[in-house]
């Protein structure tokens, strides 16, 4: 995401203009815009007029419209966000107050050049999200293939989300005593389909590591097939990238097994350059302490808020979904929680609801903390208080000076 213009003071109202370049930018945009904000973008609208003969003519024209958002729909598979609401600034074609839906994709955003976002308050969480979104290093630098015989998932991992690019399923016949030729032929066909998916979806100029995960020796056989075929077909880019392939065990070829791989200490040590690993390590530490020192961990809204009041929080883990609540009061409550922890020099990790680590945090009701000292009395509080977590249809950085955002990144 590129920052084109910034007109706001931290904690106050104002606008920014950004350019959306890829799927990761679209996810960041989804987390920047809330119901009640305004979005200005280039959009299509049908206009009707009466012809000279009395017939009704319909024309579809491209306009720049500002819409005050009443609902947001994000479809990660189609790389599309729909912002619906009332037109806030009328022009010669559209009156103020009429409903309109702006569709934003990386392609449409590039054509229009920019997306304008207006807010009454750019709080700490949104501000940090904007900084992170404009950081050119926060891209999908890890790819993964999770497979077993007959099933494979190809995905990209960013600091914010796990993007499923392709699911491949090929029925594999059983080996028979008379011979395994049909079984072996089908396996080769399956490997070829997965290999083509890797060629199509993995950009070796960006990807630093390709995780190949499977039970047994399937990942080794698949990698051997890919390397042999790459040499035969003179796919030099893949041959040169052999050192980026990292084999890892998992229990099955289903996508949810990816969290087993990322949680592995051996794999985590090799992925230290990726931003998502900080959240994974913190969550792993939380679960270890839950077993060995349970008085130094809390989860759920009531215990976590109480721990912050005691100035006991060392590391706060919170799901980004709580900041997309339709309740302004709830959003402010969690923004203040983050600010209070930071003021006390605590770490804050904002987990993406579309990342495998975020799915695990969601099972802890969206918020958890590691404490500086034991607080056994907090375990008696109700950790199951409901938190409004906005579902998705399918990390953070700090900046000391606002001047860093004054120029396009």
């Amino acid at each position: 995401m590129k920052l084109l213009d910034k007109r706001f003071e931290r904690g106050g109202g104002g606008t920014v203009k950004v350019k959306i370049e890829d799927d990761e930018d679209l996810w960041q945009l989804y987390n920047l815009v809330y119901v009640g904000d305004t979005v200005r973008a280039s959009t299509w609208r049908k206009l009707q007029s009466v012809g000279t003969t009395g017939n009704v003519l319909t024309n579809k024209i491209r306009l720049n419209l500002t819409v005050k958002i009443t609902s947001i729909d994000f479809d990660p598979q189609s790389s599309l966000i729909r912002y619906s609401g009332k037109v806030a600034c009328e022009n010669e074609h559209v009156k103020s107050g009429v409903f309109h839906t702006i569709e934003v994709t990386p392609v449409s955003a590039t054509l229009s050049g920019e997306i304008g976002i207006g807010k009454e308050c750019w709080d700490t969480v949104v501000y940090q999200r904007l900084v992170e979104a404009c950081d050119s290093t926060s891209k999908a630098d890890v790819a993964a293939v999770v497979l077993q015989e007959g099933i494979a998932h190809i995905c990209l991992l960013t600091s914010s989300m796990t993007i499923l690019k392709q699911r491949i399923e090929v029925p594999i016949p059983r080996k028979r005593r008379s011979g395994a030729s049909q079984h072996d032929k089908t396996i080769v066909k399956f490997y070829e389909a997965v290999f083509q998916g890797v060629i199509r979806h993995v950009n070796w100029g960006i990807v630093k590591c390709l995780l190949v995960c499977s039970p047994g020796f399937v990942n080794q056989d698949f990698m051997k097939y890919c390397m042999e075929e790459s040499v035969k077909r003179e796919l030099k880019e893949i041959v040169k990238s052999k050192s980026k392939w990292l084999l890892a065990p998992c229990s099955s070829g289903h996508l949810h097994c990816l969290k087993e791989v990322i949680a592995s200490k051996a794999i985590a040590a090799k992925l230290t350059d990726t931003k998502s690993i900080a959240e994974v390590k913190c969550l792993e530490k939380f679960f270890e302490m839950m077993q060995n020192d349970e008085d130094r961990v809390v989860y759920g809204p009531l215990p976590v808020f109480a721990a912050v009041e005691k100035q006991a929080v060392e590391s706060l883990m919170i799901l980004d979904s709580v900041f997309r609540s339709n309740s302004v009061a709830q959003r402010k409550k969690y923004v203040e929680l983050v600010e209070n922890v930071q003021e006390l020099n605590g770490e804050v990790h904002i987990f993406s609801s579309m990342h495998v680590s975020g799915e695990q945090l969601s099972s802890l009701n969206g918020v958890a903390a590691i404490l500086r000292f034991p607080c056994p009395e907090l375990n008696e509080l109700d950790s199951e208080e409901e938190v409004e977590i906005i579902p998705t249809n399918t990390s953070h950085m700090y900046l000391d000076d606002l001047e860093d955002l004054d120029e396009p990144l």
Side-chain angles (χ1 to χ4, degrees):
M1 181 182 290
K2 288 185 178 179
L3 183 67
L4 304 178
D5 186 35
K6 175 185 67 69
R7 299 183 183 182
F8 72 88
E9 294 296 329
R10 189 171 182 175
T15 62
V16 296
K17 292 180 182 178
V18 296
K19 187 173 183 179
I20 309 301
E21 298 178 306
D22 52 34
D23 290 350
E24 172 73 1
D25 290 347
L26 202 67
W27 169 251
Q28 299 287 10
L29 181 67
Y30 175 59
N31 283 284
L32 282 173
V33 180
Y34 303 151
V35 170
D37 295 342
T38 60
V39 167
R40 181 173 178 81
S42 180
T43 181
W44 290 100
R45 186 170 176 88
K46 291 182 180 179
L47 300 178
Q48 293 184 337
S49 59
V50 180
T52 55
T53 59
N55 58 320
V56 178
L57 302 175
T58 301
N59 294 317
K60 192 175 183 180
I61 64 173
R62 183 175 281 275
L63 300 168
N64 285 318
L65 291 180
T66 302
V67 173
K68 187 164 185 178
I69 307 303
T70 57
S71 67
I72 303 171
D73 178 40
F74 177 47
D75 184 355
Q77 299 301 323
S78 303
S79 299
L80 175 69
I81 302 179
R82 295 183 182 89
Y83 293 114
S84 300
K86 294 183 178 180
V87 174
C89 300
E90 67 178 62
N91 58 33
E92 59 179 313
H93 300 289
V94 183
K95 293 182 179 180
S96 178
V98 301
F99 281 91
H100 184 77
T101 297
I102 294 176
E103 293 188 348
V104 179
T105 69
V107 174
S108 70
T110 302
L111 289 174
S112 66
E114 63 186 38
I115 301 292
I117 306 169
K119 288 181 175 289
E120 294 182 0
C121 178
W122 288 86
D123 58 50
T124 301
V125 172
V126 179
Y127 175 79
Q128 290 174 356
R129 175 71 70 173
L130 178 64
V131 174
E132 177 187 350
C134 295
D135 171 29
S136 60
T137 65
S138 60
K139 300 297 179 181
D141 56 359
V142 178
V145 178
V146 187
L147 75 162
Q148 65 185 53
E149 287 193 356
I151 299 175
H153 296 82
I154 301 173
C155 53
L156 300 177
L157 279 70
T158 74
S159 60
S160 304
M161 60 194 299
T162 303
I163 308 168
L164 177 63
K165 302 301 292 185
Q166 187 176 357
R167 173 185 165 88
I168 299 164
E169 192 165 352
V170 176
I172 305 294
R174 294 181 179 180
K175 289 185 178 180
R176 302 189 181 276
R177 293 180 180 178
S178 57
S181 60
Q182 187 60 37
H183 174 271
D184 293 343
K185 287 179 181 178
T186 310
I187 288 291
V188 171
K189 179 182 176 183
F190 169 64
Y191 285 167
E192 176 62 24
V194 181
F195 183 40
Q196 289 299 323
V198 170
I199 294 173
R200 187 179 306 114
H201 298 296
V202 177
N203 183 343
W204 295 105
I206 297 175
V207 169
K208 298 177 182 177
C209 176
L210 173 65
L211 290 170
V212 185
C213 322
S214 78
F217 300 99
V218 177
N219 52 358
Q220 296 180 24
D221 294 340
F222 172 68
M223 181 178 175
K224 180 181 178 182
Y225 173 86
C226 292
M227 290 303 153
E228 289 176 352
E229 291 299 314
S230 297
V231 172
K232 290 179 185 177
R233 304 176 197 182
E234 297 184 351
L235 301 175
K236 296 180 181 179
E237 189 175 34
I238 296 180
V239 175
K240 289 180 180 178
S241 301
K242 184 177 180 180
S243 60
K244 296 182 180 181
W245 292 55
L246 180 60
L247 304 183
C250 65
S251 57
S252 78
H254 296 284
L255 189 59
H256 65 83
C257 293
L258 190 58
K259 61 185 177 184
E260 302 174 9
V261 179
I262 294 179
S264 166
K265 291 182 179 180
I267 300 300
K270 297 179 181 180
L271 297 178
T272 51
D273 289 338
T274 65
K275 292 176 64 182
S276 60
I277 207 66
E279 283 73 31
V280 174
K281 285 184 175 179
C282 187
L283 193 60
E284 181 183 352
K285 181 180 178 181
F286 174 88
F287 284 121
E288 285 181 0
M289 293 183 68
M290 181 179 281
Q291 296 211 355
N292 303 323
D293 193 2
E294 63 177 0
D295 291 339
R296 282 193 57 203
V297 294
V298 291
Y299 65 93
L302 283 179
V304 170
F305 275 90
V308 173
E309 288 181 7
K310 290 177 173 289
Q311 302 184 9
V313 173
E314 177 183 301
S315 299
L316 174 69
M317 294 163 285
I318 189 166
L319 204 60
D320 60 5
S321 303
V322 303
F323 302 109
R324 293 197 297 270
S325 169
N326 290 330
S327 168
V328 176
Q330 177 163 302
R331 291 206 301 260
K332 287 183 177 179
K333 182 173 71 171
Y334 283 99
V335 168
E336 290 175 359
L337 179 71
V338 169
E339 291 175 342
N340 290 338
V341 173
Q342 290 175 348
E343 287 174 2
L344 296 169
N345 297 318
E347 292 182 347
V348 176
H349 298 281
I350 300 179
F351 286 64
S352 168
S353 56
M354 289 192 65
H355 196 272
V356 288
S357 57
E359 294 174 6
Q360 291 178 288
L361 184 59
S362 179
S363 66
L364 300 173
N365 216 7
V367 59
I370 297 173
L371 307 183
R372 293 188 171 99
F373 48 84
C375 295
E377 68 278 7
L378 297 181
N379 293 327
E380 299 176 3
L381 298 177
D382 183 11
S383 62
E384 300 298 326
E385 179 193 356
E386 289 296 323
V387 179
E388 183 182 6
I389 298 177
I390 307 300
T392 304
N393 293 348
T394 23
S395 63
H396 70 273
M397 289 179 55
Y398 294 96
L399 193 68
D400 295 328
D401 195 337
L402 271 172
E403 292 179 359
D404 289 0
L405 282 175
D406 285 337
E407 298 296 329
L409 302 180

